[in-house]
Short mmCIF file of all heavy atoms in Angstrom, two decimals:
data_model
loop_
_atom_site.label_atom_id
_atom_site.label_comp_id
_atom_site.label_asym_id
_atom_site.label_seq_id
_atom_site.Cartn_x
_atom_site.Cartn_y
_atom_site.Cartn_z
N GLY A 1 -11.85 3.86 8.59
CA GLY A 1 -11.46 2.67 9.34
C GLY A 1 -10.78 1.59 8.53
O GLY A 1 -10.68 0.45 8.99
N ILE A 2 -10.28 1.92 7.35
CA ILE A 2 -9.74 0.85 6.49
C ILE A 2 -8.37 0.33 6.94
O ILE A 2 -7.92 -0.69 6.42
CB ILE A 2 -9.68 1.27 5.01
CG1 ILE A 2 -8.68 2.41 4.80
CG2 ILE A 2 -11.06 1.64 4.50
CD1 ILE A 2 -8.36 2.68 3.34
N PHE A 3 -7.75 1.01 7.88
CA PHE A 3 -6.45 0.52 8.37
C PHE A 3 -6.58 -0.15 9.74
O PHE A 3 -5.58 -0.51 10.36
CB PHE A 3 -5.44 1.68 8.43
CG PHE A 3 -5.29 2.39 7.11
CD1 PHE A 3 -5.76 3.69 6.94
CD2 PHE A 3 -4.71 1.75 6.01
CE1 PHE A 3 -5.63 4.33 5.73
CE2 PHE A 3 -4.59 2.39 4.79
CZ PHE A 3 -5.05 3.69 4.64
N GLU A 4 -7.81 -0.31 10.19
CA GLU A 4 -8.06 -0.92 11.49
C GLU A 4 -8.00 -2.45 11.39
O GLU A 4 -8.24 -3.02 10.34
CB GLU A 4 -9.44 -0.50 12.02
CG GLU A 4 -9.58 0.98 12.28
CD GLU A 4 -8.64 1.48 13.36
OE1 GLU A 4 -8.49 0.78 14.38
OE2 GLU A 4 -8.05 2.56 13.17
N PRO A 5 -7.69 -3.12 12.52
CA PRO A 5 -7.71 -4.59 12.52
C PRO A 5 -9.07 -5.12 12.08
O PRO A 5 -10.10 -4.57 12.45
CB PRO A 5 -7.43 -4.93 13.99
CG PRO A 5 -6.67 -3.76 14.52
CD PRO A 5 -7.24 -2.56 13.81
N GLY A 6 -9.05 -6.17 11.27
CA GLY A 6 -10.28 -6.75 10.76
C GLY A 6 -10.68 -6.25 9.39
O GLY A 6 -11.55 -6.85 8.74
N SER A 7 -10.06 -5.15 8.95
CA SER A 7 -10.29 -4.68 7.59
C SER A 7 -9.36 -5.42 6.63
O SER A 7 -8.32 -5.94 7.03
CB SER A 7 -10.04 -3.18 7.48
OG SER A 7 -11.04 -2.43 8.14
N LEU A 8 -9.74 -5.45 5.35
CA LEU A 8 -8.87 -6.01 4.33
C LEU A 8 -7.60 -5.16 4.22
O LEU A 8 -7.65 -3.94 4.36
CB LEU A 8 -9.57 -6.04 2.98
CG LEU A 8 -10.35 -7.28 2.56
CD1 LEU A 8 -9.44 -8.45 2.28
CD2 LEU A 8 -11.41 -7.62 3.56
N THR A 9 -6.51 -5.82 3.95
CA THR A 9 -5.26 -5.11 3.76
C THR A 9 -5.39 -4.05 2.66
O THR A 9 -6.09 -4.28 1.67
CB THR A 9 -4.14 -6.12 3.41
OG1 THR A 9 -2.93 -5.43 3.21
CG2 THR A 9 -4.48 -6.89 2.16
N PRO A 10 -4.76 -2.89 2.81
CA PRO A 10 -4.89 -1.84 1.80
C PRO A 10 -4.32 -2.28 0.45
O PRO A 10 -3.32 -3.00 0.39
CB PRO A 10 -4.10 -0.67 2.39
CG PRO A 10 -3.23 -1.25 3.45
CD PRO A 10 -3.94 -2.46 3.95
N VAL A 11 -4.98 -1.84 -0.61
CA VAL A 11 -4.65 -2.28 -1.95
C VAL A 11 -4.19 -1.11 -2.82
O VAL A 11 -4.79 -0.03 -2.79
CB VAL A 11 -5.87 -2.95 -2.62
CG1 VAL A 11 -5.54 -3.37 -4.06
CG2 VAL A 11 -6.34 -4.15 -1.81
N LEU A 12 -3.16 -1.36 -3.62
CA LEU A 12 -2.74 -0.44 -4.67
C LEU A 12 -3.22 -1.01 -5.99
O LEU A 12 -2.85 -2.13 -6.37
CB LEU A 12 -1.22 -0.28 -4.68
CG LEU A 12 -0.68 0.69 -5.74
CD1 LEU A 12 -1.13 2.12 -5.45
CD2 LEU A 12 0.85 0.60 -5.82
N ASP A 13 -4.05 -0.26 -6.70
CA ASP A 13 -4.64 -0.68 -7.98
C ASP A 13 -3.77 -0.14 -9.11
O ASP A 13 -3.70 1.07 -9.33
CB ASP A 13 -6.06 -0.11 -8.03
CG ASP A 13 -6.81 -0.48 -9.29
OD1 ASP A 13 -6.20 -1.05 -10.22
OD2 ASP A 13 -8.02 -0.19 -9.36
N VAL A 14 -3.10 -1.05 -9.81
CA VAL A 14 -2.17 -0.67 -10.87
C VAL A 14 -2.77 -1.03 -12.22
O VAL A 14 -2.92 -2.21 -12.55
CB VAL A 14 -0.80 -1.37 -10.69
CG1 VAL A 14 0.15 -1.01 -11.82
CG2 VAL A 14 -0.20 -1.01 -9.33
N GLU A 15 -3.13 0.00 -13.00
CA GLU A 15 -3.80 -0.24 -14.28
C GLU A 15 -3.28 0.63 -15.41
O GLU A 15 -3.66 0.41 -16.57
CB GLU A 15 -5.31 -0.01 -14.15
CG GLU A 15 -6.01 -0.93 -13.17
CD GLU A 15 -7.53 -0.79 -13.23
OE1 GLU A 15 -8.08 -0.63 -14.34
OE2 GLU A 15 -8.17 -0.84 -12.16
N VAL A 16 -2.45 1.64 -15.10
CA VAL A 16 -2.05 2.58 -16.15
C VAL A 16 -0.54 2.59 -16.32
O VAL A 16 0.22 2.35 -15.36
CB VAL A 16 -2.55 4.01 -15.84
CG1 VAL A 16 -4.07 4.06 -15.82
CG2 VAL A 16 -1.98 4.53 -14.53
N SER A 17 -0.10 2.86 -17.54
CA SER A 17 1.34 2.94 -17.79
C SER A 17 1.94 4.10 -17.01
O SER A 17 1.26 5.09 -16.73
CB SER A 17 1.60 3.11 -19.28
OG SER A 17 0.98 4.28 -19.77
N GLY A 18 3.18 3.94 -16.64
CA GLY A 18 3.84 4.95 -15.82
C GLY A 18 3.82 4.62 -14.35
O GLY A 18 4.45 5.30 -13.55
N VAL A 19 3.10 3.55 -13.99
CA VAL A 19 3.12 3.04 -12.61
C VAL A 19 3.77 1.66 -12.68
O VAL A 19 3.17 0.71 -13.20
CB VAL A 19 1.70 2.93 -12.02
CG1 VAL A 19 1.76 2.34 -10.61
CG2 VAL A 19 1.02 4.29 -12.00
N GLY A 20 5.00 1.58 -12.18
CA GLY A 20 5.75 0.34 -12.32
C GLY A 20 6.36 -0.12 -11.01
O GLY A 20 5.90 0.24 -9.92
N ASP A 21 7.41 -0.91 -11.13
CA ASP A 21 8.01 -1.55 -9.95
C ASP A 21 8.52 -0.55 -8.92
O ASP A 21 8.33 -0.75 -7.72
CB ASP A 21 9.14 -2.48 -10.39
CG ASP A 21 8.66 -3.65 -11.23
OD1 ASP A 21 7.76 -4.38 -10.77
OD2 ASP A 21 9.17 -3.83 -12.35
N ALA A 22 9.19 0.50 -9.39
CA ALA A 22 9.73 1.48 -8.44
C ALA A 22 8.62 2.17 -7.67
O ALA A 22 8.72 2.39 -6.45
CB ALA A 22 10.59 2.50 -9.18
N PHE A 23 7.55 2.53 -8.37
CA PHE A 23 6.40 3.16 -7.73
C PHE A 23 5.83 2.23 -6.66
O PHE A 23 5.57 2.64 -5.52
CB PHE A 23 5.34 3.47 -8.78
CG PHE A 23 4.13 4.22 -8.28
CD1 PHE A 23 3.95 5.56 -8.60
CD2 PHE A 23 3.15 3.60 -7.49
CE1 PHE A 23 2.82 6.25 -8.15
CE2 PHE A 23 2.04 4.28 -7.04
CZ PHE A 23 1.87 5.61 -7.37
N ILE A 24 5.64 0.96 -7.03
CA ILE A 24 5.03 0.01 -6.11
C ILE A 24 5.91 -0.21 -4.87
O ILE A 24 5.40 -0.22 -3.74
CB ILE A 24 4.75 -1.33 -6.82
CG1 ILE A 24 3.71 -1.13 -7.92
CG2 ILE A 24 4.28 -2.38 -5.82
CD1 ILE A 24 3.57 -2.32 -8.86
N ALA A 25 7.20 -0.38 -5.08
CA ALA A 25 8.10 -0.59 -3.95
C ALA A 25 8.06 0.59 -2.99
O ALA A 25 8.05 0.41 -1.76
CB ALA A 25 9.53 -0.82 -4.46
N GLU A 26 8.04 1.79 -3.53
CA GLU A 26 7.98 2.98 -2.69
C GLU A 26 6.63 3.07 -1.97
O GLU A 26 6.55 3.43 -0.79
CB GLU A 26 8.21 4.23 -3.55
CG GLU A 26 8.17 5.55 -2.79
CD GLU A 26 9.39 5.79 -1.91
OE1 GLU A 26 10.24 4.91 -1.77
OE2 GLU A 26 9.47 6.90 -1.35
N TRP A 27 5.56 2.74 -2.68
CA TRP A 27 4.22 2.74 -2.08
C TRP A 27 4.19 1.82 -0.86
O TRP A 27 3.68 2.19 0.20
CB TRP A 27 3.18 2.31 -3.10
CG TRP A 27 1.83 2.04 -2.52
CD1 TRP A 27 1.40 0.89 -1.96
CD2 TRP A 27 0.74 2.96 -2.40
NE1 TRP A 27 0.11 1.02 -1.51
CE2 TRP A 27 -0.32 2.28 -1.77
CE3 TRP A 27 0.56 4.28 -2.78
CZ2 TRP A 27 -1.53 2.90 -1.51
CZ3 TRP A 27 -0.65 4.89 -2.52
CH2 TRP A 27 -1.69 4.20 -1.89
N ILE A 28 4.69 0.62 -1.02
CA ILE A 28 4.68 -0.36 0.07
C ILE A 28 5.43 0.19 1.28
O ILE A 28 4.96 0.10 2.41
CB ILE A 28 5.27 -1.70 -0.41
CG1 ILE A 28 4.34 -2.35 -1.44
CG2 ILE A 28 5.50 -2.65 0.77
CD1 ILE A 28 4.98 -3.52 -2.19
N ARG A 29 6.59 0.76 1.02
CA ARG A 29 7.39 1.30 2.12
C ARG A 29 6.67 2.44 2.83
O ARG A 29 6.58 2.47 4.07
CB ARG A 29 8.74 1.81 1.58
CG ARG A 29 9.69 2.31 2.67
CD ARG A 29 10.92 2.96 2.08
NE ARG A 29 10.64 4.22 1.42
CZ ARG A 29 10.45 5.38 2.06
NH1 ARG A 29 10.51 5.42 3.40
NH2 ARG A 29 10.22 6.48 1.39
N VAL A 30 6.11 3.37 2.07
CA VAL A 30 5.51 4.56 2.66
C VAL A 30 4.18 4.23 3.35
O VAL A 30 3.90 4.74 4.44
CB VAL A 30 5.32 5.66 1.59
CG1 VAL A 30 4.63 6.88 2.19
CG2 VAL A 30 6.67 6.06 1.01
N ILE A 31 3.35 3.38 2.75
CA ILE A 31 2.06 3.05 3.38
C ILE A 31 2.29 2.34 4.72
O ILE A 31 1.58 2.57 5.69
CB ILE A 31 1.15 2.22 2.44
CG1 ILE A 31 -0.31 2.24 2.93
CG2 ILE A 31 1.61 0.79 2.30
CD1 ILE A 31 -1.09 3.42 2.55
N ARG A 32 3.29 1.48 4.78
CA ARG A 32 3.61 0.82 6.04
C ARG A 32 4.10 1.82 7.08
O ARG A 32 3.72 1.76 8.25
CB ARG A 32 4.67 -0.26 5.81
CG ARG A 32 4.14 -1.52 5.14
CD ARG A 32 5.25 -2.46 4.75
NE ARG A 32 4.73 -3.81 4.46
CZ ARG A 32 5.44 -4.77 3.91
NH1 ARG A 32 6.71 -4.54 3.57
NH2 ARG A 32 4.91 -5.96 3.69
N GLU A 33 4.92 2.74 6.63
CA GLU A 33 5.46 3.75 7.54
C GLU A 33 4.36 4.65 8.09
O GLU A 33 4.33 4.98 9.28
CB GLU A 33 6.49 4.58 6.77
CG GLU A 33 7.18 5.66 7.55
CD GLU A 33 8.15 6.42 6.66
OE1 GLU A 33 9.30 5.97 6.51
OE2 GLU A 33 7.73 7.45 6.08
N ARG A 34 3.42 5.04 7.23
CA ARG A 34 2.38 5.99 7.62
C ARG A 34 1.28 5.35 8.47
O ARG A 34 0.68 6.04 9.30
CB ARG A 34 1.74 6.60 6.36
CG ARG A 34 2.66 7.49 5.57
CD ARG A 34 2.85 8.85 6.21
NE ARG A 34 3.73 9.68 5.44
CZ ARG A 34 3.34 10.48 4.44
NH1 ARG A 34 2.06 10.54 4.10
NH2 ARG A 34 4.21 11.21 3.80
N THR A 35 0.98 4.08 8.23
CA THR A 35 -0.18 3.46 8.87
C THR A 35 0.16 2.40 9.91
O THR A 35 -0.69 2.06 10.74
CB THR A 35 -1.10 2.80 7.82
OG1 THR A 35 -0.38 1.71 7.21
CG2 THR A 35 -1.51 3.80 6.75
N GLY A 36 1.36 1.84 9.83
CA GLY A 36 1.72 0.75 10.72
C GLY A 36 1.21 -0.60 10.27
O GLY A 36 1.49 -1.62 10.91
N VAL A 37 0.44 -0.66 9.16
CA VAL A 37 -0.01 -1.96 8.66
C VAL A 37 1.18 -2.66 8.00
O VAL A 37 2.05 -2.02 7.43
CB VAL A 37 -1.18 -1.84 7.66
CG1 VAL A 37 -2.38 -1.17 8.29
CG2 VAL A 37 -0.76 -1.11 6.39
N LYS A 38 1.22 -3.97 8.12
CA LYS A 38 2.32 -4.73 7.53
C LYS A 38 1.91 -5.40 6.23
O LYS A 38 2.74 -5.66 5.37
CB LYS A 38 2.80 -5.80 8.53
CG LYS A 38 3.32 -5.21 9.84
CD LYS A 38 4.43 -4.20 9.60
CE LYS A 38 4.94 -3.62 10.90
NZ LYS A 38 5.79 -2.43 10.68
N ARG A 39 0.63 -5.74 6.12
CA ARG A 39 0.16 -6.43 4.93
C ARG A 39 -0.34 -5.43 3.89
O ARG A 39 -1.08 -4.51 4.22
CB ARG A 39 -0.96 -7.42 5.29
CG ARG A 39 -0.47 -8.54 6.20
CD ARG A 39 -1.59 -9.45 6.63
NE ARG A 39 -1.08 -10.59 7.41
CZ ARG A 39 -1.83 -11.55 7.92
NH1 ARG A 39 -3.13 -11.53 7.74
NH2 ARG A 39 -1.29 -12.53 8.60
N VAL A 40 0.08 -5.64 2.67
CA VAL A 40 -0.27 -4.75 1.56
C VAL A 40 -0.57 -5.63 0.35
O VAL A 40 0.06 -6.68 0.17
CB VAL A 40 0.89 -3.78 1.23
CG1 VAL A 40 0.49 -2.82 0.13
CG2 VAL A 40 1.32 -3.01 2.47
N MET A 41 -1.53 -5.21 -0.46
CA MET A 41 -1.87 -5.98 -1.66
C MET A 41 -1.75 -5.09 -2.90
O MET A 41 -2.02 -3.89 -2.84
CB MET A 41 -3.28 -6.56 -1.54
CG MET A 41 -3.63 -7.55 -2.61
SD MET A 41 -4.88 -8.79 -2.10
CE MET A 41 -6.15 -7.77 -1.35
#
């Protein structure tokens, strides 16, 4: 139920090298496309 209304916006946890701006931008696009949520953290 983490994508349901009333839940916290889904979060991408970035802590390791090799995960950078391009990865994050693509993540935001794909998670919105797959779930319909607009807010991402």
Side-chain angles (χ1 to χ4, degrees):
I2 66 168
F3 305 111
E4 296 297 318
S7 289
L8 268 290
T9 179
V11 177
L12 181 66
D13 181 352
V14 178
E15 298 188 39
V16 297
S17 59
V19 178
D21 295 305
F23 184 107
I24 295 169
E26 180 73 354
W27 169 276
I28 292 167
R29 184 188 69 79
V30 177
I31 197 82
R32 284 172 164 170
E33 181 182 274
R34 293 283 180 88
T35 65
V37 300
K38 299 304 179 193
R39 296 176 175 180
V40 183
M41 190 152 48

